[in-house]
Amino acid sequence: MQGSANLNLMIKAARKAGRALVKDFREVENLQVSSKGPGDFVSRADREAERIIKEDLMAGRPTYGWLGEETGAAEGADPTRRWIVDPLDGTTNFLHGLPHWAVSIALEHKGEIVAGVVFDAAKDEMFVAEKGAGAWLNDSRLRVSGRGRMIEAIFATGVPFAGTGPLPATLQDLARLMPVCAGVRRWGAASLDLAYVAAGRYDGFWERGLHAWDMAAGMIIVREAGGFVSAIREGDDPLEKGAVIAGNAGLFEEFRKVIRGA
Ligand code: IPD
């Protein structure tokens, strides 16, 4: 696709950070067997990836604001635009040597996400979208799935871990959804879950307790692939509340009703 200068900047930064992370990921596989384990090493890799991305993006657009998982928020001279970055989404997968993690970069303008990049560096899959220009995986246009029957559909979610989130709500969601669909997956990287909805690999995704950087880029990729995204609770802003639901055009309403318990 012919992306804007901003999108190209985002893609370049994601590739650079992705290359560094792939090298570190190979190292993690060796560290699994040491008694100290790879924990500190992965935290360093995560911080280094954010440093690489921040350096590139801020050099290219010095007036934009910033929200990053590792370095937090900073307002820019231009208060209408900011980067929203998760340098390593799926940290637990990375730590355990599971090749399912991504670099996630979004651009927000006046409170709306206008471009997004989710780069699965281990599989060399670059998911990108820009408002009005469609969504792409490498050089192919993305479309959400055309499935229209819940019983044939596969949904992804994230479940709270280590006491971090609303476990009973998620268990209730599962109790309502599992009997009426073809399956539920939990792969551990929310940005990729959303990208997979855009690619038609999943028919929908929902999760509570997320941060803006986990979902901002994936949200525009789903929308530009013809899917729908909203907060789980009616009227909320998903980026603010951290509870998001996304789905293909045919099933979104029905899926959302099941998750809302309506
Ligand atoms: C996590 C992943 C995971 C989700 C967690 C997130 P991180 O992000 O997206 O799928 O279930 O809620 O925190 O910490 O690996 O960047």
Side-chain angles (χ1 to χ4, degrees):
M1 86 181 273
Q2 276 288 17
S4 68
N6 274 337
L7 187 69
N8 288 328
L9 187 63
M10 294 159 75
I11 292 173
K12 231 172 123 192
R15 275 203 196 285
K16 200 162 162 190
R19 266 198 303 274
L21 285 167
V22 164
K23 268 196 207 134
D24 292 335
F25 187 64
R26 288 195 195 114
E27 194 63 28
V28 163
E29 286 166 345
N30 299 330
L31 291 173
Q32 299 292 350
V33 289
S34 81
S35 61
K36 199 166 157 240
D40 291 346
F41 177 82
V42 171
S43 305
R44 270 201 305 280
D46 204 344
R47 284 198 300 274
E48 174 61 9
E50 182 152 327
R51 193 197 59 73
I52 291 171
I53 296 165
K54 197 167 185 177
E55 191 174 275
D56 271 27
L57 295 182
M58 296 315 286
R61 298 290 180 269
T63 61
Y64 289 13
W66 179 266
L67 176 66
E69 182 178 19
E70 298 302 312
T71 54
E75 192 162 308
D78 174 353
T80 68
R81 292 183 172 84
R82 67 173 177 168
W83 303 112
I84 303 179
V85 173
D86 189 346
L88 174 55
D89 182 42
T91 318
T92 308
N93 284 344
F94 192 97
L95 184 67
H96 287 254
L98 293 166
H100 196 74
W101 45 269
V103 177
S104 174
I105 304 176
L107 175 60
E108 187 184 57
H109 182 217
K110 295 186 176 162
E112 187 190 6
I113 306 300
V114 293
V117 165
V118 173
F119 181 40
D120 178 342
K123 305 183 202 75
D124 198 23
E125 289 195 323
M126 176 73 76
F127 300 87
V128 307
E130 203 157 25
K131 198 178 165 202
W136 300 77
L137 164 52
N138 297 335
D139 292 325
S140 307
R141 186 86 191 240
L142 288 180
R143 283 301 298 171
V144 290
S145 75
R147 251 172 235 107
R149 282 164 45 84
M150 287 291 286
I151 203 65
E152 290 166 1
I154 284 190
F155 298 96
T157 190
V159 289
F161 50 93
T164 53
L167 187 59
T170 306
L171 293 179
Q172 284 162 27
D173 296 340
L174 290 169
R176 284 191 303 274
L177 183 65
M178 288 170 68
V180 298
C181 74
V184 175
R185 303 288 182 265
R186 196 282 191 256
W187 281 17
S191 62
L192 281 176
D193 289 335
L194 286 161
Y196 279 25
V197 173
R201 295 173 181 173
Y202 295 143
D203 303 294
F205 163 71
W206 86 106
E207 185 167 351
R208 296 184 169 80
L210 288 172
H211 293 99
W213 50 74
D214 298 315
M215 57 180 146
M219 282 168 56
I220 186 169
I221 298 175
V222 171
R223 288 192 176 122
E224 287 295 323
F228 292 92
V229 184
S230 78
I232 292 184
R233 211 171 60 189
E234 194 162 0
D236 281 354
D237 174 354
L239 285 179
E240 219 176 83
K241 298 288 180 191
V244 70
I245 182 160
N248 76 8
L251 286 173
F252 181 67
E253 283 305 331
E254 203 178 338
F255 168 45
R256 195 167 59 169
K257 261 193 205 150
V258 174
I259 296 303
R260 285 182 174 167

